[in-house]
Amino acid sequence: MADGNSSDEEFGDEWTLYATRPEWKDVEPLKQDDGENPVVMIAYSEKFNDVFSYLRAVISKQEKSLRALGLTQDAAKLNAANYTVWQYRRDILKALNCNLYDELDYIETVIEDNPKNYQVWHHRRVIVEWLNDPSRELELTENILNMDAKNYHAWQHRQWAIKSYGLFEDELVYVDRLISEDMRNNSAWNERFFVLKHTGFTPEVLEREITYVMNRIRLIKNNESPWNFLRGLLQQGDGKLGQFQEIVDFCEDLYDSGIRTPYLLAFLVDLYEEKYFEARGEANREEYRTKVQDLCESMANQHDKIRAKYWRYIAENFRRKLAAEENQNGL
C-alpha cells in the first residue's frame, strides 16, 4: 500500500489509537515494510502508523465490515489521495450493500475539504454511476466552482455528468452567468464550447454565438478567451476565418478605431494570409500581402515583443509560401 504524507488536523485530542481500542484487539496490525535499508525514512505520525497498520491488516484478511468502513474513513482523513483506501472502501460498500446516498453525503464533505484531489472525485463518480443518479452533481460542482472558478477536477466532473446523463438543458444559462461575472474565465468559455459541440453547431447557433462573442469582445478587447472561442466557432463552419463578412468587418473596425490588442492583430494576420491566397487574380491581392507583413513586423517590434521570434518566423514562413507559389507559376 502506497502511504503518503499524513495530516492529523481533522483528529481531535480525544481520538483513540486503534491499538488501544478493545473492539480491535482481535486484529494484529501490519506495519509498513520499507525493507532492510530504506533510502529515506518518512517520519509518519503515530496516528498515521496506527491507522494504516490496521488498514493493511484488514485488507490482508479481506474483512468487509462496518468497523472496516470506519477505518477507511480515518485513513482518508490522513491521506485522501491514497488510491487503495478508496478502492477498498468501495469494495466494502458493495459487499455490505450500504446506502449509497449516505456515501454521496460523506464524499461531498470530503471533496469540499479536498477539492483538487483526483481520488475523491473519482470515488464520487463511481458512486454516482452505481446509483445511476446524477441529480446532485451540477449543484455540487457549482458549489466547488464558487470557491475556485477554474478547478479542473470540478469542471471535468461536471462535463462527465452532463455528457453521460444529457444534462445540457440549462448549462448555457449557467455559463453565461459565469462569463458575465468574469469575462476572462477561460474555463467558462471552454464549457460553453463543450456544450455547443455536443448539442450541435447549426447555422442558427453559429450566427447566435458569433454575435454573442463579438459583444463580449467589444466589452474587453484584450481578452484571449473570447478570441480563442471565436476561432473555435469558425472552425465549425467551413474552417475559414473570413467566411462571415460580419467578422471581417468587426475586426477591421476594431483595428481602424485604434485597437492594437495582440489577439486582434494575430487574428488579422491569419485572416489576411487566408485572403491573399484566395484572391488570385484580384486587384487587391497585394494589399493583403502588405498587411500580413506589416502586422507581423508590428507584433514583433511593438505589440507582442515577448514572442518576436515567433512573429518573424510567421513572416518568413509567409514569404516562403509566396516564393513557392511564384515558382509553381513560373514567375
Side-chain angles (χ1 to χ4, degrees), residues 15-29 50-51 53-59 61 63-72 74 88 92:
W15 191 82
T16 305
L17 294 173
Y18 278 80
T20 63
R21 298 183 188 188
E23 67 271 25
W24 284 90
K25 65 181 181 180
D26 60 307
V27 177
E28 181 68 29
D50 177 64
V51 168
S53 292
Y54 277 85
L55 182 63
R56 278 187 288 272
V58 163
I59 292 176
K61 293 173 24 179
E63 176 185 327
K64 297 181 176 68
S65 61
L66 287 177
R67 72 174 184 175
L69 189 67
L71 178 60
T72 63
D74 284 339
Y88 198 66
I92 297 172

Side-chain angles (χ1 to χ4, degrees), residues 15 23 31 52 68 118 123 144 193 209 256 259 287 317:
W15 191 82
E23 67 271 25
K31 294 184 178 181
F52 278 90
Y118 169 79
H123 184 72
I144 300 300
F193 196 85
E209 293 301 309
D256 291 342
I259 302 301
E287 179 183 344
N317 192 49

Side-chain angles (χ1 to χ4, degrees), residues 76 90 93 134 157 171 187 197 215 234 268 272 316:
R90 288 191 289 274
L93 290 170
H157 187 82
E171 190 65 2
S187 298
K197 184 177 180 180
N215 287 337
L234 297 175
L268 289 174
Y272 290 141
E316 179 59 31

Side-chain angles (χ1 to χ4, degrees), residues 125-261:
R125 177 185 295 199
V126 173
I127 302 304
V128 171
E129 288 176 333
W130 286 357
L131 285 167
N132 194 31
D133 181 2
S135 60
R136 303 184 184 188
E137 302 319 289
L138 297 188
E139 181 180 0
L140 168 65
T141 52
E142 182 175 347
N143 290 339
I144 300 300
L145 292 169
N146 284 339
M147 296 189 289
D148 177 3
K150 299 181 180 181
N151 183 311
Y152 170 78
H153 299 287
W155 279 117
Q156 188 179 52
H157 187 82
R158 188 178 184 89
Q159 289 188 354
W160 164 77
I162 289 172
K163 183 179 178 181
S164 299
Y165 298 96
L167 308 177
F168 292 98
E169 185 176 359
D170 298 320
E171 190 65 2
L172 285 184
V173 175
Y174 171 64
V175 170
D176 183 53
R177 176 164 62 81
L178 292 184
I179 291 174
S180 297
E181 293 170 354
D182 177 11
M183 283 187 286
R184 290 186 169 87
N185 185 342
N186 187 60
S187 298
W189 283 101
N190 178 69
E191 181 74 355
R192 189 174 187 90
F193 196 85
F194 166 82
V195 173
L196 296 170
K197 184 177 180 180
H198 286 90
T199 55
F201 283 100
T202 64
E204 293 76 18
V205 168
L206 273 177
E207 287 286 350
R208 182 195 73 204
E209 293 301 309
I210 284 170
T211 299
Y212 179 88
V213 72
M214 286 194 302
N215 287 337
R216 294 298 180 179
I217 290 173
R218 285 188 182 98
L219 293 172
I220 304 179
K221 282 81 173 176
N222 191 29
N223 181 3
E224 184 177 9
S225 296
W227 285 104
N228 290 339
F229 184 83
L230 175 60
R231 285 179 179 266
L233 288 178
L234 297 175
Q235 290 173 0
Q236 306 307 310
D238 63 15
K240 295 180 179 179
L241 298 182
Q243 63 186 286
F244 295 99
Q245 187 58 42
E246 62 200 282
I247 292 292
V248 177
D249 294 341
F250 170 71
C251 292
E252 290 183 333
D253 287 346
L254 288 177
Y255 186 86
D256 291 342
S257 67
I259 302 301
R260 294 296 183 269
T261 166

